Amino acid sequence: MTVLDMQSVDAEDEITHQQGYRLSIWKSTVVFFLATLPGGVGLLLIYWFPQYTLRLIGYKCPMSQATYLLLKDCDGNWCVEKIKHYVTESEEGNEDDDKHFSDVDDEMAYILPTCDTQQKVVYIEHRHLRYFYDAPSKQFAKLRHFYDKLTCLAIHQFIEGLSEADAVKTKQCYGPNSIDVPVKPYHVLFIEEVLHPFYIFQVLSVTFWMLDVYYYYAAAVLFISSLSLVISLLQTRKHMQQLHDMVTCSSKVSVLRDGKVLEDIPSEDLVPGDVLVIPKDGMSMPCDAALLAGNCVVNEAMLTGESLPVTKTPLPHDANLAYMPDDCKRHTLFNGTQVIQTRFFGSKKVLAVVVRTGFTTAKGSLVRSILFPKPLDSKMWKDIMKFVIFLAITAAFGFTYTIIILRAHNYDNVKETILRAFDVITIVVPPALPAALTVGTVYSLSRLKKQSIYCISPQRVSLCGKIKLACFDKTGTLTEDSLDFLGIRPCFDQRFTQLVAEPHKNLPMGELKYAMATCHSLTRIDGVLRGDPLELKMFEALKWELEEPGEEHTRFDSLVPVVVQAKSDDEFYPSLELGVLKQFSFSSELQRMSVLVKKLPSVDSKRIEVYVKGSPEKIQQLCIPQSVPPDFFTVLSKYTKKGCRVLAIAHRFLHIKAHKIDKITRDEVECDLMFLGLLIMQNKLKPESSPVITTLHSASIRTVMVTGDNLHTAISVARDCGMVEAGHRVIMMQATDSGDQGVLLDYTLVGEDMSCADAVMLSSDSYSSDYCNSSTNSTEISILLPSSQPYHLAVDGKSFALIMQTHKDIINRLMVCGTVFARMAPEQKAELVRYLQTLGYGVAMCGDGANDCGALKAAHAGISLSETEASVASPFTSKIPNISCVPKVIKEGRAALVTAFSIFKFMALYSLTEFITVAFLYSIESNLGDIQYLYIDLILILAFAFVMGFSGPYPTLIKKRPPGTLAGLNVLLSLIFHILLITATQLALWFYLKKQHWYEPLIPNDYDNIVCSENTLLFQCSIFQYIILAVILSTGPPYRNPLYTNYWFMLCLIVLVPACAYLVMAPEAWLKIFPPLMQLKQHPSILFRSSILLCVALNFLVAYAFEVYIIQSTWLAQILRWVRCKRQPRNKYKHVLKEVYEDSSWPPVVQAAIN
C-alpha cells in the first residue's frame, strides 16, 4: 500500500480567541520599572507570562489599530504575536481601508490580498503560518490555500504559468518557499534554559546555600546543574541542527513565467500558481505540486516510510472534481519526496503547478507537528503537578514553622532566620525532581532502540503503559507483504471456469490475459522491475516481458511509453505486443485502477482497450449486469473465507483518437465494463502474528483489525491469527440507505464453515424504529446466541460511514463489540481510532506507515513498520517488520510508567524525610552539616534515583494495568504511612537517646550547632531510611524485572549499605580520620549504636510488609473501592459493554430460511 494519507491539520491551526492591543508608553515604563525593583523577579514573571504582561503594558483597541495580537489556540495556549504588514500596489483603488481579502466568486481566482495603491496588508505569523486580517469579521483568518474552490479542470488553466507581476504579489502574500527551522545560537539557548523555572529555582537554592555557608554542597549542586545545562544545550542544539539539515532543501528549478521557461530560479522563489518543469533525471520536490502533464515515479519514503515507488499521473480534466491534495494523492507530488523518473510523449515537458509552499506543504505540516507537538492529556503529569503544589504548601508550612521555632528560642539573627526558613523550601521541593522523573522514559527509549524500535515522541512512552486496545492493519502487518499467486478464475458466457494456476500455459490469449499483462503500475528502475508485490506476482505468472524504450527518463518519448510482450515460447502469438497509453492509478478511495491499452501493430487506430482491476465489490458495480455470473458472491466468498486476496478484472472497448486520450476522464473510462474473472492471491500470515495476538489477549488487551481489504478476507485472517478465537461467532453488520425508511442494518451471522450465501441472516433494524424485519421472501425463525458464547461484529467502510452518520445509538455498541473493520478508507481509520479514544480506550495502532498515517498519528501509541530508522509518520517506528514490536512497546510503557511513579514517590518521601529531620533539629537550633547534605542528596538520593530506572520490563504481560494516577487512595495511603513510620522511628530514637546516661544536651551558640548527639542520631537513622525507601519503592514484578536483576541498583546497595553501617558503628576516632568533615559526634555506647541498626531494620520490615502485603493486595483495592463508593466504572466503554451484556435482544438474531 503506497497511498499517502496526511492528516489534516486545519483544525489544529484554528485560533479560538483574538484581541488586539496597542502599547502604552507610560504603562510600559511603570511596569518595567516596578518589575526591576524586587531583585528582577518581576522581569522573570514578564518573561514567563507574556500574555499578562501585554494586558498590563497595553490597552485593547480595534484590530486595524493594533500592534500586537493576544491569541489563544485550540490547545488552550496563550500567545502574543506582533502584527506585521507589507505594502502592495493595485491598479484599481478601493476606499475601504480595512478590506484585505478579495471576494472573488470566480473559481479560477486564487487568494491574493487586494487593496488600494500603496496600501498596507495586515497579517501575523503564528507557528510558521500566516493569518491575514479580514475586515468583515474583524478577525485574523488563516490564509487560504491556492487551490481552494478550484476544480481539477481549473487547475489545468494555470499551465501557462504566472506573470512576473502576479508572482511578486503572490510571494508577498504566501512568503518564501522555505521550511526554515532556525538553529538558535548557544548564548540564546543558554539564556532560555537558565530562565526556565527549574534552573531559576536551582540558582536561588545555590545562592541560599552559599549564604548559609554550605559551600561544599552548593558547589557540588552548581557543578552538576552546570554539567546538566551544558549537556542539555548540546543535545538541544544537535537536535535542532539535525532537524534543520533534514528539512532544509534549497535548489535551482525551472518554471514557466509568462509562458516562457525560466531556468535556475531559486526554489525559495516558487509561489502557488507557478508551473514547475520537472527535469528528466528527476529531482527532490521543493514544494507540493499537482501534476499537469507527464508521469512521474516517486519515492515517498521520507513522508510515509513506504519504500515502494509510486507512479504519479496527470490531474484529470474534471470540472466536477474539486482539487484537494489529500484526495488527489496520485496526481500530487509532495514536498520532500524524490522524483526518480519522469516520462512524457515526444519532446513535451513534465509540468506540475505549485499548490502549496513552505510550512503549508505536507512536509511542512509534519515539521510543525515536531516543532509544536500537540499536548498529551496525561493524567499522571497532572497528578504530579498537584503533588508538587502540595509540597509547596508543605514548604510554606515549614517556612512558617522555622521562623516560629527560631523566634521562640530567642534567635535574634534575622539573616540566619531567613536563610534557615528558605533552606526548608529547598528541602521540601527537591530541585532534582524534574530530571529524576524523566529517567524511566530515557532508559525505556534506550532499550527500545536496542530492539530496533525508534521513537520521536518520548512523552508517549508512558502512555503506552495504559494501552487497552490494539488496532492492526492487515496486509503487510498481520500478513506477509509478498503474495503467492494462487490462480486466475476466468469467466466465459457468464459462468466461472476452473481455476487456472499457470496462466502462461493454460490461459488462452484474450482480454483476461491482456489485463494481467497491462493493468498494473510496474516500472523498471536500474533494470529491476519494481512495484506493488501483488502486481509483481501477477505479471510474473504470465512470464511476459515489460519494455520501456530508451533511457529511463525518455521512456515516454514515444507514443507508446510502456510495452509488454509475450515471450517467444508462448504458444499463442509469440510476437504480440501491447502498449499502455494511459494509466489511472490505484485509489484506495475508489478501490481500483485502470489502463488504456493499444495492440501493436494496430489495424484500427481508434480502437482502445480498457482494463480495470480492483476490489470485486466495486468492479461488480461497474460491470454490465449481464456479464456477471449469478454465483459471483458465492465464488468470491469461497476464496475470501480462506484468507485469499481476491481482485476482480473487467474490460471494455473505446473508440477514441490517441491525441484525445490525455483529456479523457476516469468516469468516462471506468463504466459499462464486461466482467472477465477473478485474480486470486494467497496472503499468508506472518509467523509472529498469532503468538502476539494470543499474548495481547492473555493481558486483556483487545485487538481490532482495520484494513482496506475485503470483509470476508479480513474475517478469515482474524480467525487464523486468533483475533476471533475458536468457538466465537462473527456477525457482519451491513448498513443500507433505503430512502424513506432510513438506514437499515442487516445482521449476518457467519459460521466458521459458512460461505456468504449460506450465512445465517439476521433481522434488520432501521434508524426510524427499534427493530424492523427486512422485507425478504423468507421464513424467519428466531434464534438466540448463547450468552456464554462471545461474538464479534464485522463491518465495512461504507456501512461504518452510514452508522456513524445516523445510528448514534448503535455506534458505541459497534465500537466495543467490533473486531473487523474492512474496506476502511485512510480517514476512516483515523476516525475509528479517535472515537475509540473518546470511549476511554488507550489505543495502539500498528500499520505499514502508508495509508495508515492518520491513524498512526491519532493513536496513543502509533507504531509504523518501516525499514527507515525513524519516520515522522508515527510516534514509533519499528525496523522489525512484524507486530512483535507491539507487546514490547506496551511492556516498556508499563515499565516507564511504574518507574516514573516509583521515582516520584521516592523523591517526594526523600524530601519529606529530610524535612522531618531538619524540623527536629531546628527545634534545638541545630541543622544538618554541609557534608551531611552532600552525602544524602548527591551520594544517596541521586545514585538511587538514577539507577531505579535500569530495571527492565517484566517479560510477561499481565491482565492488570499499572495505576495511572498518583491521586489514588492506595498511593496516598502509602505515602502517609511511610511519613508516619519515618517520623515515629526518628522520634523513638530521639527519646531513646535522651534517656542515655551519657547524653549531653546541645547548648546553642551563635557559631556552630551542628556537632551534637541529636544531629548524629538523626543523620545515622535517616540515611538508612532513604535506602529503605529506595528498596521498597523499586517495584519489580509484574511490571518490571525483579530488583536483583538491576545490577547497578545492587551495586549501589553493596557499596552504600556497608558505608552507612560504618558511619553508625565506627568509633569516633575512626570517623575523625575517615570520612573527614562529616561533623559527627559518635555515640560512646556500642549497644546504642547497635540499637540504631536494629531500629532501622525493624523500620524496613514494617515498611516492606505494608507495601507488599497491604498496598499491593487485592483486598485493600476492594475496601478502597467501597470507601470511594465506586459502583460504576469510570470509562465509558465499560458502561457500553454492561449495557450490551444486559440487553439480550441485541443483536437481534433471526435465522432466515430462504424459499
Side-chain angles (χ1 to χ4, degrees):
M1 288 177 281
T2 57
V3 179
L4 179 65
D5 178 50
M6 307 311 303
Q7 186 178 1
S8 174
V9 295
D10 289 345
E12 300 175 6
D13 300 327
E14 291 299 326
I15 298 175
T16 59
H17 175 83
Q18 301 180 30
Q19 179 59 58
Y21 283 86
R22 195 172 186 88
L23 297 185
S24 169
I25 297 178
W26 71 268
K27 280 187 175 183
S28 302
T29 304
V30 172
V31 169
F32 281 101
F33 175 73
L34 294 177
T36 58
L37 292 181
V41 176
L43 292 177
L44 285 175
L45 295 177
I46 289 175
Y47 176 78
W48 291 338
F49 305 104
Q51 66 271 28
Y52 298 115
T53 304
L54 183 62
R55 291 168 177 168
L56 291 174
I57 65 176
Y59 57 87
K60 295 181 181 180
C61 65
M63 291 290 189
S64 58
Q65 304 173 13
T67 55
Y68 287 90
L69 181 69
L70 177 64
L71 61 89
K72 185 179 182 181
D73 60 27
C74 61
D75 295 328
N77 301 317
W78 289 95
C79 302
V80 176
E81 299 291 354
K82 183 175 177 59
I83 295 177
K84 303 177 182 180
H85 69 274
Y86 65 85
V87 178
T88 186
E89 295 185 1
S90 178
E91 294 180 0
E92 298 182 3
N94 189 342
E95 296 300 322
D96 185 2
D97 292 340
D98 288 332
K99 185 170 181 60
H100 299 299
F101 288 98
S102 61
D103 296 323
V104 182
D105 294 329
D106 183 4
E107 67 173 3
M108 290 294 297
Y110 50 88
I111 309 306
L112 279 177
T114 60
C115 49
D116 289 349
T117 303
Q118 297 297 325
Q119 178 64 42
K120 68 178 181 180
V121 178
V122 182
Y123 70 99
I124 63 169
E125 288 189 3
H126 175 61
R127 293 187 172 184
H128 299 296
L129 295 180
R130 289 193 173 189
Y131 296 76
F132 281 76
Y133 178 63
D134 181 27
S137 64
K138 299 186 183 301
Q139 298 284 313
F140 282 87
K142 187 157 69 77
L143 179 62
R144 291 183 297 182
H145 291 299
F146 155 79
Y147 52 81
D148 281 359
K149 299 183 179 179
L150 295 184
T151 64
C152 293
L153 180 61
I155 293 288
H156 273 279
Q157 305 306 315
F158 289 88
I159 197 165
E160 295 296 326
L162 299 176
S163 66
E164 284 291 345
D166 282 343
V168 172
K169 273 187 180 182
T170 310
K171 186 176 181 181
Q172 280 185 315
C173 180
Y174 286 92
N177 173 41
S178 63
I179 302 177
D180 185 19
V181 178
V183 181
K184 298 179 181 179
Y186 283 108
H187 69 276
V188 175
L189 291 174
F190 175 78
I191 293 174
E192 290 179 352
E193 286 285 341
V194 168
L195 294 182
H196 190 278
F198 166 67
Y199 282 107
I200 292 295
F201 185 65
Q202 290 274 35
V203 171
L204 292 176
S205 300
V206 170
T207 302
F208 284 122
W209 293 331
M210 295 287 283
L211 293 174
D212 207 17
V213 201
Y214 292 135
Y215 297 124
Y216 293 107
Y217 182 61
V221 172
L222 182 62
F223 172 77
I224 292 177
S225 298
S226 300
L227 183 61
S228 174
L229 178 63
V230 171
I231 294 174
S232 177
L233 287 180
L234 293 175
Q235 289 182 341
T236 302
R237 175 63 184 253
K238 179 183 177 182
H239 293 160
M240 293 178 71
Q241 189 66 52
Q242 287 178 340
L243 184 60
H244 176 271
D245 295 341
M246 180 181 72
V247 304
T248 300
C249 178
S250 180
S251 59
K252 298 292 185 178
V253 297
S254 298
V255 298
L256 293 181
R257 293 273 174 87
D258 295 316
K260 300 177 181 178
V261 178
L262 298 181
E263 298 181 353
D264 296 334
I265 301 296
S267 59
E268 291 82 1
D269 291 341
L270 287 174
V271 296
D274 264 333
V275 174
L276 187 64
V277 180
I278 311 295
K280 293 183 177 181
D281 53 353
M283 65 183 300
S284 177
M285 287 301 297
C287 59
D288 288 354
L291 193 59
L292 300 181
N295 284 15
C296 292
V297 180
V298 184
N299 182 353
E300 293 183 335
M302 183 270 171
L303 292 179
T304 66
E306 179 61 60
S307 59
L308 291 177
V310 181
T311 300
K312 303 285 185 173
T313 58
L315 200 65
H317 292 74
D318 192 339
N320 299 318
L321 177 62
Y323 174 76
M324 292 292 292
D326 291 345
D327 296 333
C328 302
K329 300 180 185 73
R330 284 291 187 174
H331 316 294
T332 304
L333 305 172
F334 291 98
N335 187 3
T337 60
Q338 185 68 38
V339 177
I340 304 173
Q341 296 175 3
T342 61
R343 302 172 180 175
F344 206 86
F345 298 105
S347 59
K348 294 183 179 180
K349 297 179 175 60
V350 178
L351 303 177
V353 62
V354 178
V355 294
R356 294 188 298 203
T357 57
F359 280 97
T360 63
T361 63
K363 178 181 176 182
S365 297
L366 289 175
V367 173
R368 286 193 305 110
S369 69
I370 297 173
L371 296 175
F372 312 105
K374 191 172 180 65
L376 298 174
D377 185 17
S378 175
K379 185 173 178 58
M380 180 189 73
W381 287 103
K382 291 181 180 178
D383 292 339
I384 287 175
M385 293 309 300
K386 292 177 182 178
F387 205 86
V388 169
I389 293 174
F390 165 75
L391 292 178
I393 295 174
T394 305
F397 167 77
F399 183 90
T400 306
Y401 166 82
T402 302
I403 295 177
I404 294 174
I405 286 294
L406 293 180
R407 296 300 296 171
H409 286 80
N410 298 319
Y411 196 76
D412 297 328
N413 193 326
V414 178
K415 175 187 174 183
E416 288 294 324
T417 301
I418 295 175
L419 289 176
R420 292 287 180 85
F422 276 104
D423 193 28
V424 171
I425 296 177
T426 64
I427 291 172
V428 177
V429 184
L433 180 61
L437 288 176
T438 62
V439 167
T441 299
V442 171
Y443 293 150
S444 290
L445 289 175
S446 177
R447 288 191 293 265
L448 286 173
K449 189 173 182 180
K450 292 179 181 178
Q451 300 176 80
S452 298
I453 302 173
Y454 301 87
C455 177
I456 62 172
S457 182
Q459 65 269 29
R460 289 182 182 263
V461 174
S462 58
L463 291 181
C464 297
K466 300 297 291 181
I467 294 299
K468 303 173 183 177
L469 182 147
C471 297
F472 297 94
D473 182 33
K474 185 183 76 69
T475 306
T477 303
L478 293 171
T479 61
E480 297 285 356
D481 265 324
S482 59
L483 302 170
D484 293 331
F485 181 81
L486 186 63
I488 190 84
R489 194 77 187 266
C491 172
F492 293 107
D493 296 330
Q494 208 178 354
R495 290 188 305 172
F496 280 111
T497 62
Q498 295 299 316
L499 182 73
V500 179
E502 296 181 317
H504 68 288
K505 293 182 179 179
N506 304 322
L507 183 64
M509 193 67 66
E511 283 78 11
L512 183 55
K513 201 163 192 176
Y514 301 158
M516 293 179 62
T518 58
C519 195
H520 53 73
S521 57
L522 301 179
T523 184
R524 288 194 180 276
I525 299 176
D526 297 328
V528 179
L529 201 59
R530 300 285 299 275
D532 185 271
L534 182 148
E535 294 178 339
L536 275 172
K537 291 289 185 179
M538 176 186 71
F539 187 76
E540 290 171 355
L542 287 180
K543 300 189 182 302
W544 280 32
E545 291 288 348
L546 183 142
E547 294 182 0
E548 296 170 307
E551 299 291 335
E552 289 193 348
H553 58 268
T554 61
R555 287 173 181 161
F556 268 35
D557 288 352
S558 59
L559 180 63
V560 180
V562 178
V563 176
V564 292
Q565 62 178 189
K567 284 189 174 181
S568 59
D569 59 350
D570 196 295
E571 300 178 22
F572 308 96
Y573 311 105
S575 62
L576 177 67
E577 293 185 339
L578 302 173
V580 180
L581 303 180
K582 186 179 180 67
Q583 178 189 111
F584 292 102
S585 299
F586 174 79
S587 166
S588 59
E589 289 80 13
L590 300 177
Q591 300 177 11
R592 62 181 182 270
M593 72 165 294
S594 59
V595 290
L596 276 66
V597 177
K598 192 177 186 66
K599 290 183 180 179
L600 302 177
S602 175
V603 179
D604 186 354
S605 61
K606 294 184 179 180
R607 182 183 173 89
I608 305 296
E609 299 179 26
V610 177
Y611 297 107
V612 185
K613 170 173 63 56
S615 71
E617 298 90 343
K618 290 292 182 182
I619 300 299
Q620 182 263 345
Q621 294 173 8
L622 298 174
C623 286
I624 299 172
Q626 292 77 10
S627 69
V628 181
D631 60 343
F632 175 85
F633 287 105
T634 303
V635 175
L636 173 63
S637 179
K638 172 185 176 182
Y639 293 104
T640 56
K641 274 184 74 278
K642 298 177 181 179
C644 296
R645 180 83 178 273
V646 182
L647 296 178
I649 300 175
H651 87 113
R652 65 171 297 194
F653 295 107
L654 286 178
H655 284 79
I656 185 175
K657 292 183 179 180
H659 69 275
K660 293 183 178 181
I661 289 177
D662 191 44
K663 295 185 179 181
I664 195 170
T665 64
R666 189 163 195 162
D667 290 338
E668 293 174 325
V669 170
E670 298 172 349
C671 61
D672 299 329
L673 303 175
M674 297 292 294
F675 182 72
L676 292 177
L678 297 176
L679 173 68
I680 303 160
M681 313 289 285
Q682 277 187 323
N683 197 192
K684 296 181 180 178
L685 271 180
K686 292 182 179 179
E688 299 83 5
S689 296
S690 294
V692 169
I693 297 298
T694 302
T695 299
L696 295 177
H697 285 180
S698 66
S700 289
I701 297 175
R702 183 180 155 207
T703 57
V704 171
M705 184 188 299
V706 190
T707 178
D709 208 341
N710 177 276
L711 180 59
H712 297 287
T713 301
I715 293 174
S716 176
V717 173
R719 291 190 187 278
D720 292 342
C721 70
M723 201 172 283
V724 176
E725 298 178 26
H728 290 198
R729 299 292 188 96
V730 176
I731 300 174
M732 292 192 301
M733 293 179 65
Q734 184 176 5
T736 54
D737 190 351
S738 61
D740 296 339
Q741 297 182 19
V743 175
L744 301 179
L745 295 181
D746 295 326
Y747 296 81
T748 306
L749 180 61
V750 181
E752 293 186 40
D753 299 323
M754 295 179 188
S755 66
C756 182
D758 299 330
V760 180
M761 298 301 298
L762 310 180
S763 74
S764 302
D765 76 88
S766 69
Y767 185 62
S768 56
S769 61
D770 291 336
Y771 299 111
C772 301
N773 293 336
S774 59
S775 56
T776 57
N777 184 22
S778 63
T779 302
E780 296 178 350
I781 306 171
S782 297
I783 61 172
L784 291 177
L785 288 176
S787 58
S788 60
Q789 187 176 31
Y791 60 86
H792 304 258
L793 298 180
V795 68
D796 61 16
K798 180 181 177 181
S799 299
F800 176 81
L802 288 173
I803 295 172
M804 288 288 288
Q805 293 171 6
T806 58
H807 283 263
K808 302 298 182 183
D809 55 333
I810 297 295
I811 186 61
N812 285 345
R813 296 188 176 195
L814 171 61
M815 290 294 176
V816 300
C817 299
T819 299
V820 178
F821 295 82
R823 292 293 187 219
M824 296 285 281
E827 61 273 11
Q828 288 181 316
K829 293 184 179 183
E831 184 181 14
L832 173 66
V833 169
R834 286 192 290 266
Y835 199 99
L836 288 169
Q837 290 172 333
T838 64
L839 295 179
Y841 284 109
V843 182
M845 173 69 194
C846 185
D848 60 3
N851 61 356
D852 303 310
C853 289
L856 291 170
K857 291 177 70 67
H860 293 112
I863 310 172
S864 171
L865 304 183
S866 172
E867 295 181 358
T868 55
E869 180 172 305
S871 171
V872 291
S874 64
F876 295 89
T877 301
S878 173
K879 292 183 69 176
I880 303 173
N882 59 64
I883 65 172
S884 63
C885 58
V886 175
K888 293 177 183 177
V889 170
I890 296 176
K891 290 175 187 177
E892 287 293 351
R894 292 185 175 187
L897 186 62
V898 170
T899 299
F901 278 19
S902 298
I903 292 178
F904 180 81
K905 289 170 64 177
F906 174 66
M907 296 297 290
L909 287 172
Y910 136 70
S911 62
L912 292 174
T913 301
E914 197 168 60
F915 169 68
I916 293 168
T917 303
V918 171
F920 280 138
L921 293 177
Y922 276 8
S923 67
I924 60 172
E925 299 184 44
S926 182
N927 196 359
L928 291 174
D930 193 4
I931 304 301
Q932 292 172 346
Y933 274 122
L934 194 68
Y935 182 80
I936 293 172
D937 292 345
L938 296 185
I939 297 180
L940 289 179
I941 302 305
L942 282 185
F944 282 114
F946 282 97
V947 299
M948 286 174 72
F950 275 111
S951 293
Y954 196 65
T956 303
L957 277 176
I958 66 166
K959 292 185 177 182
K960 185 179 178 182
R961 283 171 287 275
T965 176
L966 281 170
L969 289 179
N970 57 339
V971 177
L972 297 178
L973 183 62
S974 174
L975 292 175
I976 293 171
F977 176 81
H978 288 305
I979 292 171
L980 294 177
L981 180 61
I982 288 167
T983 304
T985 303
Q986 292 192 15
L987 198 59
L989 287 173
W990 177 282
F991 286 116
Y992 185 54
L993 171 67
K994 291 187 176 182
K995 291 183 179 181
Q996 302 303 310
H997 62 86
W998 42 262
Y999 167 69
E1000 296 180 1
L1002 173 66
I1003 301 176
N1005 55 64
D1006 295 335
Y1007 301 103
D1008 188 3
N1009 298 327
I1010 295 177
V1011 181
C1012 61
S1013 298
E1014 293 88 345
N1015 168 285
T1016 302
L1017 172 68
L1018 294 183
F1019 172 76
Q1020 292 171 336
C1021 175
S1022 65
I1023 58 178
F1024 273 104
Q1025 288 177 325
Y1026 300 129
I1027 297 177
I1028 291 170
L1029 290 174
V1031 172
I1032 63 173
L1033 295 178
S1034 292
T1035 308
Y1039 306 115
R1040 302 199 304 169
N1041 282 329
L1043 184 61
Y1044 59 80
T1045 63
N1046 187 339
Y1047 302 119
W1048 287 104
F1049 192 96
M1050 297 305 296
L1051 179 62
C1052 287
L1053 288 179
I1054 292 172
V1055 173
L1056 294 177
V1057 170
C1060 293
Y1062 169 81
L1063 293 177
V1064 174
M1065 299 301 297
E1068 186 169 2
W1070 290 13
L1071 293 179
K1072 289 181 179 180
I1073 300 173
F1074 181 82
L1077 306 177
M1078 189 62 82
Q1079 296 177 284
L1080 295 177
K1081 182 181 179 181
Q1082 187 60 287
H1083 315 295
S1085 171
I1086 190 171
L1087 179 62
F1088 182 82
R1089 300 200 295 269
S1090 301
S1091 300
I1092 296 175
L1093 294 181
L1094 182 62
C1095 193
V1096 296
L1098 183 62
N1099 185 342
F1100 169 73
L1101 293 176
V1102 174
Y1104 180 82
F1106 182 82
E1107 193 71 25
V1108 174
Y1109 298 107
I1110 296 181
I1111 293 298
Q1112 299 180 16
S1113 64
T1114 55
W1115 60 266
L1116 178 64
Q1118 295 173 353
I1119 292 176
L1120 294 178
R1121 179 184 291 270
W1122 178 82
V1123 169
R1124 290 180 298 176
C1125 300
K1126 185 178 179 182
R1127 299 291 182 264
Q1128 298 293 333
R1130 293 180 181 178
N1131 293 317
K1132 187 176 179 180
Y1133 75 90
K1134 292 183 179 179
H1135 290 276
V1136 179
L1137 280 173
K1138 183 180 179 182
E1139 176 186 317
V1140 171
Y1141 291 151
E1142 292 177 351
D1143 187 358
S1144 59
S1145 63
W1146 193 89
V1149 183
V1150 179
Q1151 183 176 359
I1154 307 297
N1155 293 333

